[in-house]
Amino acid sequence: MKRDFLHITDFTRDEIDEVLELSARLKKDTREGTSHLLLQGKTLAMIFQKPSARTRVSFETGMYQLGGHALFLSPADIGMGKRETTADIARLFSRYNDIIMARVFDHQHILDLGKYAAIPVINGLTDFNHPCQVMSDIFTVLEHRGHLNDLKVVFVGDGNNVAHSWFKLAQRIPMELIIACPEGFEPDENVVKETQETGLSSVSVSYDSYSAAAGADVIYTDVWASMGQEEEAAERKKIFEPFQVNTELMTAAGDQAYFMHCLPAHRGDEVTDEVIDGSQSIVFDEAENRMHVQKAIMVYLMGAA
Ligand code: CP
Ligand code: NVA
């Protein structure tokens, strides 16, 4: 049976550990200049309905390093659900390619790609979640802390797609997870509820980033207006101002706290230059790790480890 990676919870805890170990091995090989042509002759179709720098470059470069080839398909190439049904797109690429990665607006589109494709499908972000990002994030946390025990993560800002993937991760890896957000911008209540019901992690919503931040291992933030919400940006800026990650908030968190951001960052809005360029920031390790971790995810899904 082919496997997809559409949500963090598509993997068991053991599988997450296996992918993280594989990521470390592939990263080490790449750094040492040792080639690992595990996907030689394979092709990846990359479907983008939204802009991307990191996701495109990390998948395309990663596929090349694995000996395969990646094809970039923009909205002009693929009118998902307009020029053609999502199901037909899935069936079509299953005839040409070996694996699909897609970034779409509507989460149902990624579910449909997974359902109708005969080949593995990877979610490269939807309006609902961003699992590749958070797999890379937890790999980065593991690299820096050396372990994942007694982990406290505070997500400051919008209860958005990246936040949802953190909640899904908390269903597989025990942690204390707090989202500190303005009222009305909480994550999807079903995701919070299902995470609480899983009973593995302590998860909560707070409206005060300063009290939430105390003792955190990770202070995480993201843009206040995601792709597709551009017209709300000015209004959101006023509402989210108290949730800026600045030196005061990092001081409230403590010296042990790492600063993380999926990027791209809106400097001066959700994070100050001082924090993102400061000694506690690991944002570029995080960005680099997208490539190593996504290579591991592709290799794992294709049974090529
Ligand atoms: N973090 C992330 O997914 O970046 P891009 O939108 O540039 O791909
Ligand atoms: N929440 C952001 C993440 C970008 C990587 C967005 O969806 O635009």
Side-chain angles (χ1 to χ4, degrees):
M1 239 283 275
K2 67 111 180 184
R3 295 284 304 274
D4 298 323
F5 183 61
L6 308 183
H7 312 94
I8 297 270
T9 45
D10 289 351
F11 287 156
T12 63
R13 171 67 200 259
D14 284 349
E15 288 177 322
I16 291 173
D17 288 342
E18 207 173 315
V19 168
L20 297 180
E21 277 164 33
L22 183 56
S23 306
R25 182 152 65 81
L26 296 178
K27 180 170 182 174
K28 187 166 173 283
D29 284 354
T30 306
R31 287 269 171 99
E32 288 171 355
T34 309
S35 62
H36 37 236
L37 305 177
L38 300 169
L39 298 183
Q40 197 153 28
K42 305 288 185 197
T43 63
L44 165 72
M46 305 191 299
I47 301 172
F48 283 96
Q49 290 202 300
K50 300 187 187 194
S52 170
R54 276 144 290 271
T55 304
R56 178 186 175 175
V57 176
S58 56
F59 266 104
E60 192 166 331
T61 308
M63 194 61 183
Y64 176 79
Q65 290 177 356
L66 288 164
H69 178 72
L71 295 95
F72 171 74
L73 298 150
S74 74
D77 304 302
I78 299 197
M80 178 111 44
K82 292 190 187 108
R83 185 165 185 259
E84 209 162 359
T85 67
T86 309
D88 283 353
I89 291 167
R91 292 179 183 116
L92 177 73
F93 289 120
S94 300
R95 299 296 181 102
Y96 293 138
N97 303 114
D98 301 288
I99 184 162
I100 296 171
M101 183 277 295
R103 167 169 288 194
V104 298
F105 286 91
D106 185 349
H107 192 67
Q108 189 60 44
H109 284 161
I110 201 83
L111 299 179
D112 288 345
L113 284 175
K115 182 173 171 190
Y116 293 104
I119 57 178
V121 176
I122 297 176
N123 177 350
L125 180 148
T126 71
D127 284 345
F128 175 67
N129 67 347
H130 197 1
C132 289
Q133 180 66 53
V134 172
M135 278 292 277
S136 311
D137 295 338
I138 199 65
F139 177 74
T140 311
V141 172
L142 179 61
E143 258 188 339
H144 281 268
R145 281 180 90 229
H147 64 87
L148 296 177
N149 305 330
D150 301 320
L151 180 64
K152 176 173 177 180
V153 177
V154 180
F155 188 105
V156 184
D158 189 21
N160 64 13
N161 43 10
V162 178
H164 290 156
S165 285
W166 272 102
F167 277 83
K168 293 277 185 183
L169 185 70
Q171 295 175 29
R172 290 290 181 269
I173 294 179
M175 68 181 79
E176 181 182 357
L177 174 64
I178 306 178
I179 172 150
C181 61
E183 277 188 75
F185 295 88
E186 299 85 358
D188 182 283
E189 63 184 56
N190 292 323
V191 177
V192 177
K193 196 160 156 260
E194 85 189 8
T195 311
Q196 280 162 343
E197 283 171 3
T198 306
L200 189 69
S201 295
S202 152
V203 297
S204 55
V205 177
S206 160
Y207 299 111
D208 175 9
S209 56
Y210 282 81
S211 61
D217 299 294
V218 175
I219 297 290
Y220 198 107
T221 194
D222 185 11
V223 291
W224 292 336
S226 286
M227 290 179 276
Q229 298 174 329
E230 288 77 9
E231 68 289 353
E232 295 172 33
E235 186 59 25
R236 282 174 172 254
K237 201 166 165 154
K238 287 183 235 150
I239 298 168
F240 280 85
E241 213 190 303
F243 293 86
Q244 183 186 65
V245 180
N246 50 33
T247 303
E248 292 70 46
L249 188 71
M250 291 306 290
T251 304
D255 291 342
Q256 77 295 333
Y258 291 108
F259 172 72
M260 300 182 76
H261 190 311
C262 55
L263 306 178
H266 290 169
R267 289 165 174 259
D269 286 351
E270 75 273 4
V271 61
T272 58
D273 285 335
E274 213 176 355
V275 169
I276 197 168
D277 297 329
S279 59
Q280 287 164 276
S281 172
I282 53 172
V283 298
F284 288 102
D285 289 335
E286 187 185 354
E288 175 189 334
N289 286 334
R290 291 288 303 279
M291 183 174 76
H292 307 299
V293 172
Q294 289 160 188
K295 282 165 70 176
I297 293 170
M298 289 192 287
V299 167
Y300 186 77
L301 292 178
M302 297 186 71

